Amino acid sequence: MTVLLHISDTHFGTEEAPVVEALRRLAHEQKPDALVLSGDITQRARPAQFAAARAFCDSLGIERQLALPGNHDIPLYNVLLRTFKPYDRYCESFGKDLEPVLELGDVLVIGVNTTRPDRHKDGEVSRGQIQRVVDMLQTTRREQLRVVVTHQPACVMRPEDEKDRLHGGERAVQAWAAAGADLVLGGHIHLPYVSDLCAKAGLKDRTMFCVQAGTALSHRVRHGTPNSVNMVRWTPPAPGADRMCVVERWDYDLADDQFELTHTYELKLGE
Protein backbone atom coordinates (compact mmCIF):
# COMPACT_ATOMS: atom_id res chain seq x y z
CA MET A 1 0.00 0.00 0.00
CA THR A 2 1.09 3.56 -0.77
CA VAL A 3 -0.17 6.38 1.47
CA LEU A 4 -0.26 10.08 0.58
CA LEU A 5 -0.75 12.77 3.20
CA HIS A 6 -2.59 15.61 1.46
CA ILE A 7 -2.51 18.96 3.25
CA SER A 8 -3.40 22.43 2.03
CA ASP A 9 -3.68 26.06 3.08
CA THR A 10 -1.29 25.87 5.99
CA HIS A 11 -1.06 29.70 5.87
CA PHE A 12 2.12 29.93 7.93
CA GLY A 13 1.93 33.23 9.76
CA THR A 14 -1.54 32.30 11.02
CA GLU A 15 -0.78 28.74 12.16
CA GLU A 16 -2.00 27.43 15.51
CA ALA A 17 0.88 25.90 17.51
CA PRO A 18 -1.16 23.02 19.03
CA VAL A 19 -2.46 22.07 15.59
CA VAL A 20 1.06 22.15 14.16
CA GLU A 21 2.22 19.72 16.85
CA ALA A 22 -0.84 17.50 16.36
CA LEU A 23 -0.24 17.21 12.62
CA ARG A 24 3.41 16.42 13.22
CA ARG A 25 2.34 13.61 15.57
CA LEU A 26 -0.15 12.30 13.00
CA ALA A 27 2.54 12.15 10.31
CA HIS A 28 4.93 10.31 12.61
CA GLU A 29 2.20 7.83 13.61
CA GLN A 30 0.79 7.15 10.14
CA LYS A 31 4.14 7.25 8.30
CA PRO A 32 2.81 8.22 4.87
CA ASP A 33 4.99 7.57 1.85
CA ALA A 34 4.65 11.10 0.48
CA LEU A 35 3.43 14.56 1.42
CA VAL A 36 1.31 16.52 -1.05
CA LEU A 37 0.94 20.22 -0.20
CA SER A 38 -1.57 21.94 -2.49
CA GLY A 39 -0.75 25.60 -2.00
CA ASP A 40 -1.28 28.62 0.23
CA ILE A 41 1.68 27.49 2.26
CA THR A 42 2.11 30.99 3.72
CA GLN A 43 -0.21 33.85 4.62
CA ARG A 44 1.72 36.70 2.98
CA ALA A 45 4.70 35.12 1.18
CA ARG A 46 7.18 36.53 3.68
CA PRO A 47 10.63 34.94 4.10
CA ALA A 48 10.06 34.03 7.76
CA GLN A 49 6.76 32.35 6.88
CA PHE A 50 8.37 30.28 4.13
CA ALA A 51 11.22 29.36 6.49
CA ALA A 52 8.74 28.17 9.13
CA ALA A 53 6.83 26.17 6.52
CA ARG A 54 9.99 24.55 5.21
CA ALA A 55 11.10 23.61 8.72
CA PHE A 56 7.69 22.12 9.47
CA CYS A 57 7.63 20.00 6.30
CA ASP A 58 11.13 18.74 7.04
CA SER A 59 10.08 17.83 10.59
CA LEU A 60 7.35 15.47 9.40
CA GLY A 61 9.84 12.76 8.53
CA ILE A 62 8.30 12.16 5.08
CA GLU A 63 11.01 11.55 2.51
CA ARG A 64 9.03 12.29 -0.66
CA GLN A 65 7.23 15.61 -0.95
CA LEU A 66 5.40 17.56 -3.66
CA ALA A 67 4.41 21.18 -3.09
CA LEU A 68 2.62 23.77 -5.22
CA PRO A 69 2.30 27.52 -4.73
CA GLY A 70 -1.06 29.05 -3.90
CA ASN A 71 -2.21 32.61 -4.45
CA HIS A 72 -1.09 33.54 -0.91
CA ASP A 73 2.45 32.41 -1.79
CA ILE A 74 2.83 35.35 -4.18
CA PRO A 75 3.64 38.72 -2.54
CA LEU A 76 0.52 40.87 -2.29
CA TYR A 77 1.79 44.25 -1.13
CA ASN A 78 5.26 44.23 -2.73
CA VAL A 79 4.15 45.27 -6.21
CA LEU A 80 7.59 45.08 -7.81
CA LEU A 81 8.24 41.58 -6.52
CA ARG A 82 4.73 40.45 -7.46
CA THR A 83 5.18 41.81 -10.99
CA PHE A 84 8.71 40.74 -11.83
CA LYS A 85 9.66 37.92 -9.44
CA PRO A 86 6.38 36.55 -8.04
CA TYR A 87 7.72 33.10 -7.16
CA ASP A 88 11.23 33.94 -5.96
CA ARG A 89 10.50 33.52 -2.25
CA TYR A 90 8.54 30.33 -2.84
CA CYS A 91 11.38 28.88 -4.92
CA GLU A 92 13.97 29.64 -2.27
CA SER A 93 12.21 27.30 0.16
CA PHE A 94 10.36 24.79 -2.02
CA GLY A 95 12.41 24.57 -5.20
CA LYS A 96 12.33 26.09 -8.65
CA ASP A 97 9.98 23.53 -10.18
CA LEU A 98 6.52 25.08 -9.98
CA GLU A 99 4.90 22.01 -11.55
CA PRO A 100 6.65 19.05 -9.93
CA VAL A 101 5.91 15.40 -10.65
CA LEU A 102 6.20 12.65 -8.07
CA GLU A 103 6.31 8.98 -9.08
CA LEU A 104 6.20 6.32 -6.39
CA GLY A 105 6.00 3.21 -8.57
CA ASP A 106 2.31 2.56 -8.12
CA VAL A 107 1.28 6.22 -7.73
CA LEU A 108 1.85 9.12 -10.13
CA VAL A 109 1.26 12.65 -8.78
CA ILE A 110 1.29 15.53 -11.28
CA GLY A 111 1.45 19.11 -10.00
CA VAL A 112 -0.20 21.95 -11.94
CA ASN A 113 0.55 25.56 -11.03
CA THR A 114 -2.85 27.25 -11.25
CA THR A 115 -1.82 30.55 -9.67
CA ARG A 116 -1.60 33.69 -11.81
CA PRO A 117 -0.04 36.84 -10.33
CA ASP A 118 -2.35 39.07 -12.37
CA ARG A 119 -5.50 37.24 -11.26
CA HIS A 120 -4.98 37.95 -7.55
CA LYS A 121 -6.67 34.96 -5.86
CA ASP A 122 -8.31 33.40 -8.91
CA GLY A 123 -6.72 30.35 -10.51
CA GLU A 124 -6.45 29.22 -14.10
CA VAL A 125 -5.33 26.17 -16.03
CA SER A 126 -4.16 26.75 -19.59
CA ARG A 127 -4.60 24.53 -22.63
CA GLY A 128 -0.88 23.84 -22.55
CA GLN A 129 -1.02 22.75 -18.92
CA ILE A 130 -4.01 20.53 -19.65
CA GLN A 131 -2.16 18.86 -22.51
CA ARG A 132 0.99 18.37 -20.41
CA VAL A 133 -1.04 16.39 -17.88
CA VAL A 134 -2.78 14.40 -20.63
CA ASP A 135 0.57 13.44 -22.15
CA MET A 136 1.85 12.12 -18.82
CA LEU A 137 -1.36 10.28 -18.01
CA GLN A 138 -1.22 8.43 -21.31
CA THR A 139 1.98 6.68 -20.23
CA THR A 140 0.53 5.24 -17.01
CA ARG A 141 -0.34 1.65 -16.16
CA ARG A 142 -3.56 0.21 -14.75
CA GLU A 143 -1.95 -0.53 -11.40
CA GLN A 144 -0.94 3.11 -10.93
CA LEU A 145 -3.10 5.62 -9.06
CA ARG A 146 -3.15 8.77 -11.23
CA VAL A 147 -3.34 11.99 -9.24
CA VAL A 148 -3.42 15.60 -10.43
CA VAL A 149 -2.86 18.43 -7.93
CA THR A 150 -4.07 22.02 -8.32
CA HIS A 151 -4.56 24.81 -5.80
CA GLN A 152 -7.97 26.15 -6.75
CA PRO A 153 -10.78 23.57 -6.80
CA ALA A 154 -11.76 21.70 -9.96
CA CYS A 155 -15.35 21.64 -8.71
CA VAL A 156 -17.35 23.31 -5.95
CA MET A 157 -20.30 22.09 -3.93
CA ARG A 158 -21.95 25.40 -3.03
CA PRO A 159 -23.16 28.15 -5.39
CA GLU A 160 -21.36 30.79 -3.33
CA ASP A 161 -18.03 29.07 -4.04
CA GLU A 162 -18.48 29.19 -7.82
CA LYS A 163 -16.39 32.37 -8.01
CA ASP A 164 -13.42 30.43 -6.61
CA ARG A 165 -13.60 27.53 -9.05
CA LEU A 166 -10.62 26.97 -11.32
CA HIS A 167 -10.84 28.92 -14.60
CA GLY A 168 -10.49 26.45 -17.46
CA GLY A 169 -11.48 23.65 -15.11
CA GLU A 170 -14.26 22.38 -17.37
CA ARG A 171 -11.82 21.68 -20.21
CA ALA A 172 -9.36 20.16 -17.77
CA VAL A 173 -11.94 17.79 -16.27
CA GLN A 174 -13.00 16.57 -19.70
CA ALA A 175 -9.43 16.02 -20.92
CA TRP A 176 -7.99 14.54 -17.73
CA ALA A 177 -10.89 12.15 -17.26
CA ALA A 178 -10.55 10.91 -20.84
CA ALA A 179 -6.79 10.44 -20.30
CA GLY A 180 -7.35 8.33 -17.17
CA ALA A 181 -6.87 10.58 -14.14
CA ASP A 182 -8.34 9.21 -10.91
CA LEU A 183 -8.12 12.07 -8.39
CA VAL A 184 -7.74 15.85 -8.55
CA LEU A 185 -6.49 17.17 -5.20
CA GLY A 186 -6.95 20.82 -4.22
CA GLY A 187 -7.61 23.38 -1.53
CA HIS A 188 -8.05 27.18 -1.56
CA ILE A 189 -11.57 27.46 -0.09
CA HIS A 190 -10.85 25.75 3.26
CA LEU A 191 -13.73 23.33 2.74
CA PRO A 192 -13.03 19.57 2.69
CA TYR A 193 -15.12 17.30 0.47
CA VAL A 194 -15.00 14.48 -2.07
CA SER A 195 -17.07 14.67 -5.27
CA ASP A 196 -17.25 12.71 -8.52
CA LEU A 197 -16.10 15.19 -11.16
CA CYS A 198 -17.32 13.03 -14.03
CA ALA A 199 -20.82 12.78 -12.60
CA LYS A 200 -20.97 16.55 -12.11
CA ALA A 201 -19.78 17.10 -15.70
CA GLY A 202 -22.21 14.58 -17.15
CA LEU A 203 -19.47 12.14 -18.16
CA LYS A 204 -20.84 8.61 -17.85
CA ASP A 205 -17.96 6.45 -19.05
CA ARG A 206 -15.75 6.61 -15.95
CA THR A 207 -15.16 8.25 -12.59
CA MET A 208 -12.68 10.90 -11.48
CA PHE A 209 -12.90 12.43 -8.02
CA CYS A 210 -12.25 15.92 -6.72
CA VAL A 211 -10.63 15.61 -3.27
CA GLN A 212 -10.51 18.90 -1.40
CA ALA A 213 -8.64 19.59 1.83
CA GLY A 214 -9.53 22.18 4.45
CA THR A 215 -6.96 24.41 6.10
CA ALA A 216 -4.41 22.18 7.78
CA LEU A 217 -2.98 24.54 10.42
CA SER A 218 -4.42 28.04 10.25
CA HIS A 219 -6.87 29.73 12.58
CA ARG A 220 -8.63 30.83 9.37
CA VAL A 221 -11.07 27.92 9.49
CA ARG A 222 -14.32 28.42 7.60
CA HIS A 223 -17.76 26.93 6.99
CA GLY A 224 -17.94 25.44 10.48
CA THR A 225 -15.24 22.87 9.67
CA PRO A 226 -12.13 22.36 11.81
CA ASN A 227 -8.55 22.06 10.62
CA SER A 228 -8.38 18.97 8.43
CA VAL A 229 -6.11 16.91 6.19
CA ASN A 230 -6.55 13.89 3.94
CA MET A 231 -4.90 10.48 3.75
CA VAL A 232 -5.06 8.74 0.37
CA ARG A 233 -4.47 4.98 0.51
CA TRP A 234 -3.81 2.95 -2.62
CA THR A 235 -3.23 -0.74 -3.16
CA PRO A 236 -2.74 -1.82 -6.79
CA PRO A 237 -5.61 -4.08 -7.89
CA ALA A 238 -5.21 -7.74 -8.68
CA PRO A 239 -5.86 -8.70 -12.32
CA GLY A 240 -9.58 -8.50 -12.98
CA ALA A 241 -10.35 -6.73 -9.68
CA ASP A 242 -11.88 -3.27 -9.42
CA ARG A 243 -9.56 -0.31 -9.01
CA MET A 244 -10.39 1.00 -5.52
CA CYS A 245 -8.93 3.90 -3.57
CA VAL A 246 -9.57 4.96 0.02
CA VAL A 247 -9.60 8.64 0.99
CA GLU A 248 -9.69 9.48 4.69
CA ARG A 249 -10.48 12.87 6.16
CA TRP A 250 -8.76 13.61 9.48
CA ASP A 251 -10.08 16.55 11.53
CA TYR A 252 -8.39 18.29 14.43
CA ASP A 253 -10.30 17.79 17.68
CA LEU A 254 -9.69 20.64 20.08
CA ALA A 255 -10.78 18.71 23.16
CA ASP A 256 -8.50 15.76 22.45
CA ASP A 257 -5.72 17.90 20.91
CA GLN A 258 -5.23 15.52 18.01
CA PHE A 259 -6.27 14.77 14.45
CA GLU A 260 -8.96 12.09 14.35
CA LEU A 261 -10.38 10.06 11.47
CA THR A 262 -13.88 11.42 10.77
CA HIS A 263 -14.79 10.36 7.21
CA THR A 264 -13.76 7.42 5.04
CA TYR A 265 -14.52 7.30 1.32
CA GLU A 266 -14.10 4.06 -0.64
CA LEU A 267 -13.86 5.20 -4.24
CA LYS A 268 -14.36 2.90 -7.21
CA LEU A 269 -12.13 4.23 -9.96
CA GLY A 270 -12.23 3.95 -13.71
CA GLU A 271 -9.87 1.90 -15.78
Side-chain angles (χ1 to χ4, degrees):
M1 176 185 289
T2 298
V3 181
L4 307 179
L5 171 57
H6 170 216
I7 71 175
S8 195
D9 298 83
T10 49
H11 287 283
F12 272 89
T14 67
E15 75 275 18
E16 295 279 12
V19 186
V20 171
E21 292 305 317
L23 184 50
R24 186 179 288 116
R25 290 196 303 270
L26 178 69
H28 291 168
E29 291 164 2
Q30 294 292 316
K31 296 180 171 57
D33 298 282
L35 173 70
V36 177
L37 177 48
S38 55
D40 278 1
I41 298 170
T42 66
Q43 177 63 10
R44 283 289 171 253
R46 292 174 179 149
Q49 294 170 0
F50 276 120
R54 180 71 267 168
F56 169 74
C57 290
D58 292 344
S59 77
L60 297 179
I62 305 172
E63 182 178 355
R64 307 293 299 277
Q65 300 187 4
L66 180 148
L68 290 178
N71 52 287
H72 275 262
D73 300 316
I74 298 171
L76 179 61
Y77 301 116
N78 187 327
V79 178
L80 286 176
L81 199 60
R82 183 180 184 88
T83 302
F84 297 107
K85 296 181 178 181
Y87 298 106
D88 268 24
R89 291 177 176 174
Y90 171 89
C91 292
E92 287 173 3
S93 293
F94 286 90
K96 295 181 179 180
D97 190 351
L98 300 178
E99 297 194 307
V101 176
L102 182 61
E103 190 159 6
L104 299 167
D106 58 358
V107 177
L108 176 66
V109 187
I110 304 170
V112 181
N113 177 21
T114 56
T115 62
R116 300 291 188 269
D118 59 339
R119 279 193 175 273
H120 186 44
K121 68 177 183 177
D122 284 2
E124 179 182 11
V125 58
S126 70
R127 292 182 184 274
Q129 289 176 306
I130 293 171
Q131 188 60 48
R132 165 183 168 264
V133 173
V134 167
D135 292 343
M136 282 187 280
L137 290 171
Q138 289 176 341
T139 67
T140 59
R141 308 180 305 278
R142 182 179 186 271
E143 62 269 21
Q144 283 182 301
L145 180 69
R146 309 140 193 170
V147 181
V148 182
V149 188
T150 63
H151 176 57
Q152 287 83 0
C155 79
V156 295
M157 305 298 286
R158 312 182 314 160
E160 56 265 45
D161 294 326
E162 186 64 31
K163 65 184 184 303
D164 293 310
R165 187 160 62 93
L166 182 63
H167 293 273
E170 299 93 338
R171 290 193 304 269
V173 167
Q174 297 271 346
W176 296 344
D182 296 312
L183 308 177
V184 181
L185 309 185
H188 186 58
I189 57 175
H190 299 197
L191 182 62
Y193 53 85
V194 175
S195 179
D196 186 346
L197 283 161
C198 291
K200 290 181 73 69
L203 304 175
K204 299 179 180 180
D205 294 339
R206 72 184 313 273
T207 58
M208 181 175 72
F209 293 92
C210 177
V211 178
Q212 286 287 120
T215 174
L217 303 175
S218 175
H219 64 68
R220 300 174 71 245
V221 292
R222 299 172 183 163
H223 320 294
T225 59
N227 296 103
S228 70
V229 301
N230 297 319
M231 292 281 183
V232 179
R233 302 183 187 274
W234 170 251
T235 300
D242 290 336
R243 300 179 70 246
M244 300 292 298
C245 173
V246 175
V247 174
E248 300 170 349
R249 173 177 151 190
W250 292 70
D251 291 348
Y252 177 71
D253 187 285
L254 180 62
D256 294 337
D257 188 27
Q258 65 181 8
F259 280 86
E260 298 178 347
L261 176 60
T262 58
H263 299 71
T264 300
Y265 305 88
E266 295 186 358
L267 307 179
K268 183 177 180 179
L269 306 177
E271 292 296 321

